[in-house]
Structures are given as C-alpha cells and as structure tokens.
Amino acid sequence: MAFLSDTLARVKPSPTIAVTTKAAELKAAGRDVIGLGAGEPDFDTPQNIKDAAKRAIDEGKTKYTAVDGIPELKKAICAKFERENGLRYAPNQISVGTGGKQILYNALIATCNPGDEVIIPAPYWVSYPDMVLLAGGTPVPVVATLENDFKITAAQLEAAITPKTKWFIFNSPSNPTGAGYSHDELKALTDVLMRHPQVWIMSDDMYEHLVFDDFEFVTPVQIEPGLYDRTLTCNGVSKAYAMTGWRIGYAAGPVELIKAMAKVQSQSTSNPCSVSQYAALEGLTGPQEFLTENKALFQRRRDLVVSMLNTCPGITCPKPEGAFYVYPDIAGCIGKTSAGGAHIVDDEAFATALLEETGVAVVFGAAFGLSPNFRVSYATSDEALREACTRIKAFCEGLK
Ligand SMILES: Cc1ncc(COP(=O)(O)O)c(C=O)c1O
C-alpha cells in the first residue's frame, strides 16, 4: 500500500518558494545573488501595527479566538469593504484565516466535488491549480496572451464554462503579470457570469492597493451586484500592509459558504493567530497613508524595471497596471545558447542559466501557465533592481 496519497501525487510544491529557497541557499554559500522571486514587500510592517501586536501580547490576548476571526476584526473588515469597495456585508458574512492562501483553500475544500471544474485565467498564481487539485476539483486554465495584455476575453470565458463549472477564479491586479482589468473589461466578464447561475466567483483582490497611474481598482460584485449571492471576495493584509509573515487573510461572501469555510478551518488550524488578528485590526483601522506611499514607490520601481528590461535583446516587457510583478516575454531568447554554454530550450532553462551565470533569481513562466516568460518581483530596492536588470541585459546580449 502506498504511504502517500493519490491526491498528493497530483500536486507540485510551490515553484516560487523553491526559487526563493534556492536563491537563499546560493547566498548562504557566498554567491552574489539578487532574488527577484519572492512575492513580498521588501520593507517592514508599519510601526503602529507592530505596537498593536505588542499591546495584544501584554494584554494577554494570547488564547484561542473564535474560529474565523475576532468580532472587532470582522467589524473592521466590514467597514473596509464599505469604505473602499462600496460593498455592504454583515460580520457573519466575513471569514478570517491564516493568510489569503488559507481563505482560498478553505473555500475550495468546502465546495469542490470530484469532477467540479474551476476556471483559472492563465498566467495564474501558482497555488490556484494545485489548491483545486488538493480539493478534488479539476482546474481549467484559460490562457490570456501578451497580445491581449494578459487578460482573458468574455468570449474565452463563455467558451470555458460547462455545466460542471463550479468556480471562476478572478485575480486583478494579477500575480504574476500585474495585469489589472478595467471597469469595462470586467463588466464584459460579469455579463457572461450573469448568464451562468451555476458558476461561483472567487475574486482574489490581494493586490487591490497596488495600482498605478490612473488605473481604478474594481471587484466583480461592485460592477455587478447581481453576483453578490455567489461571490467570495477575498483579500488580506499581507501585501498591502507589508504583513506577509503575520498570516492574516479574509473574505466576504454568502453566509452558507462562510459557515462551511469555518467548519473546514475548525478542523485544521482553528483560529488565525490571535496576536496577528489584533495587528491586522490596527492595519485596517489605523492610519492609511502607508498605502499611498507604497503605491508611489512601487510605481517608480515598475517604471524602472520595464524600461530596463525592454532594452534587453530578445525580451518584450509590457507595462502592467498593478501588483509588484512584471512578466516579460522571452520568445526572442529561446533556441539560443548562453555565454556559459546553456542551451535555452525553454523558460525554465533560461531562469536556471540566468541564476547560475549571473546570480539573478526569477521564476520561469511555465510555473504560471504561460511560456516563454519569466516573472520578476520588483519588491526590492531600486539599487538591486538596477543591478539585476543590468545583469539580465548582459546575459541576453551573451546569447548566441
Ligand atoms: C494572488 C495572490 N493571492 C493570494 C496570495 C496569498 O497571500 P497570503 O500571504 O495572505 O496567504 C498571494 C501571495 O503571494 C497572491 O499572490
């Protein structure tokens, strides 16, 4: 009898975590490595949030809490949805979990049966398909190309929906492309969804606050209130408040689904960390200037990286609307040989040779469901970004 489950055999470990680990190992071994793999802000959690956590510890808020969140935090999340998205939810429509990741996972585990299909626009965040597989569902990728700015069209969505479709996972701005759907682009999708009442919508709004120029963030229920009863609007404090390690994510949706998610969580992690919940409460209710400052910082970095990568031979780098990623196309590099003798047969070979020969760590496109590309996380210093792009350019110039 096999020890490991059949389900586990179908999933792969997170390639982004693998790249980050590999870069850290090389660094520890003394190599000069610039990591552009990790999807987290490079700066610290704001002081007011850290202070709130210290207060929570001193006040003894160190016990189990309600499974899916303390009432104060749920109230603050309701206020956030009303303030920032014009959406009204009651506290019993809110779920708080150990990161956005657990929220999405709880929802999939609570709802997927074998054969249920989950539509996932590609390139996608690496965890979506594997979480669907762990939940017993079938991921159905729908590929958005560079020509369409990495966004799927209404016709593509319509064509992917079948009687077995349970969820449509929507992520804007996107990890890994940074692509953000405008009001009209999203309306075209919500119009399709209105015609298919069996399809539920999981909107992953994790990068809501990281949008640039005059781009306006929108979430599906805001555009189409008719989807309110079958949408789970997911978000979290990880990226917006530089709180990745605190592990707090949340969602709003129909009571029945929220209750089902709490049932899953009650049998896995119980509640999210009590201290982190008080920290997140301060994040959502305290001063918000931090968000605007971050936006300006990331916009400057995006502009720097896009302009530098577009000077690299064989690379085309579109300018995305948000998040802290770019997803350059490297079609012009495939089939060549690097200065170090590596044959660049695909984007994984490109990323491997780039790391070995220049010390720049990026994640290859195949991990996200669209090749040949790689993902750059520009959540690092301007200086490191400049140096990394210079090395990438030298690497590309060396391809023969
Ligand atoms: C699109 C997207 N959703 C969700 C998450 C999960 O965030 P958390 O750290 O809160 O689990 C991430 C993290 O990389 C992400 O990129």
Side-chain angles (χ1 to χ4, degrees):
M1 188 175 70
F3 177 59
L4 298 178
S5 71
D6 295 345
T7 306
L8 197 72
R10 294 199 291 160
V11 305
K12 56 185 181 327
S14 162
T16 43
I17 293 176
V19 168
T20 314
T21 311
K22 170 98 182 153
E25 278 168 14
L26 288 174
K27 224 174 194 165
R31 286 280 307 274
D32 171 21
V33 172
I34 307 176
L36 305 181
E40 63 180 347
D42 54 312
F43 36 85
D44 209 355
T45 306
Q47 193 58 44
N48 63 309
I49 296 176
K50 292 202 265 187
D51 290 342
K54 289 180 200 165
R55 269 197 310 278
I57 293 173
D58 289 341
E59 288 167 9
K61 290 168 173 162
T62 53
K63 312 277 195 230
Y64 290 130
T65 72
V67 166
D68 60 357
I70 53 173
E72 305 92 301
L73 181 53
K74 286 192 173 193
K75 239 176 92 186
I77 292 167
C78 293
K80 174 262 175 277
F81 279 118
E82 182 142 23
R83 179 177 77 234
E84 295 179 347
N85 312 107
L87 299 177
R88 300 195 75 155
Y89 290 101
N92 67 347
Q93 292 177 285
I94 303 294
S95 184
V96 184
T98 301
K101 206 173 213 172
Q102 192 187 23
I103 288 288
L104 300 164
Y105 187 66
N106 285 346
L108 291 167
I109 288 280
T111 56
C112 284
N113 285 313
D116 286 351
E117 296 174 358
V118 179
I119 296 175
I120 305 174
Y124 41 69
W125 178 41
V126 290
S127 293
Y128 296 142
D130 289 288
M131 287 199 284
V132 170
L133 289 168
L134 278 173
T138 305
V140 178
V142 174
V143 177
T145 57
L146 173 69
E147 291 68 41
N148 208 37
D149 299 325
F150 298 126
K151 297 173 207 176
I152 63 159
T153 63
Q156 283 182 292
L157 177 59
E158 184 79 61
I161 293 174
T162 75
K164 291 181 178 169
T165 306
K166 176 147 274 171
W167 286 102
F168 167 56
I169 300 186
F170 177 72
N171 175 219
S172 164
S174 143
N175 177 0
T177 64
Y181 286 69
S182 69
H183 181 286
D184 291 354
E185 287 163 343
L186 183 50
K187 177 80 170 67
L189 301 185
T190 58
D191 284 351
V192 172
L193 294 162
M194 284 302 285
R195 292 196 287 275
H196 298 276
Q198 86 279 17
V199 181
W200 282 62
I201 298 93
M202 193 176 287
S203 184
D204 182 350
D205 300 351
M206 194 55 81
Y207 296 94
E208 163 176 19
H209 290 291
L210 293 171
V211 292
F212 312 129
D213 305 319
D214 52 1
F215 180 83
E216 276 184 35
F217 170 84
V218 276
T219 192
V221 185
Q222 225 174 335
I223 297 211
E224 180 47 81
L227 295 173
Y228 184 90
D229 291 333
R230 53 185 169 106
T231 299
L232 185 70
T233 302
C234 308
N235 211 316
V237 293
S238 297
K239 318 283 175 169
Y241 297 93
M243 291 180 69
T244 46
W246 299 79
R247 312 304 305 129
I248 295 291
Y250 58 83
V255 173
E256 190 195 2
L257 172 62
I258 295 294
K259 273 193 192 157
M261 289 164 62
K263 193 168 167 184
V264 174
Q265 189 156 294
S266 73
Q267 298 296 10
S268 56
T269 54
S270 297
N271 57 273
C273 166
S274 61
V275 175
S276 295
Q277 290 189 67
Y278 286 97
L281 176 62
E282 172 63 23
L284 292 175
T285 56
Q288 302 292 307
E289 289 76 29
F290 181 74
L291 301 176
T292 330
E293 289 159 18
N294 275 356
K295 225 168 112 133
L297 175 80
F298 282 123
Q299 179 166 329
R300 201 186 63 230
R301 289 177 178 174
R302 175 202 61 174
D303 293 346
L304 169 73
V305 169
V306 168
S307 68
M308 286 191 78
L309 288 178
N310 276 320
T311 66
C312 303
I315 291 187
T316 309
C317 184
K319 193 178 199 175
E321 290 86 0
F324 40 61
Y325 308 106
V326 289
Y327 199 65
D329 174 284
I330 55 164
C333 302
I334 300 301
K336 300 196 168 170
T337 303
S338 73
H343 193 34
I344 309 301
V345 287
D346 54 20
D347 53 25
E348 185 166 1
F350 179 95
T352 305
L354 185 70
L355 179 58
E356 278 167 8
E357 295 177 29
T358 74
V360 175
V362 297
V363 187
F364 56 92
F368 305 100
L370 182 70
S371 291
N373 294 71
F374 63 88
R375 187 192 78 172
V376 164
S377 163
Y378 56 83
T380 190
S381 72
D382 292 21
E383 195 190 355
L385 291 172
R386 228 175 256 118
E387 173 61 21
C389 291
T390 305
R391 292 189 200 178
I392 294 172
K393 187 173 181 186
F395 179 79
C396 291
E397 284 170 347
L399 293 175
K400 294 282 175 299

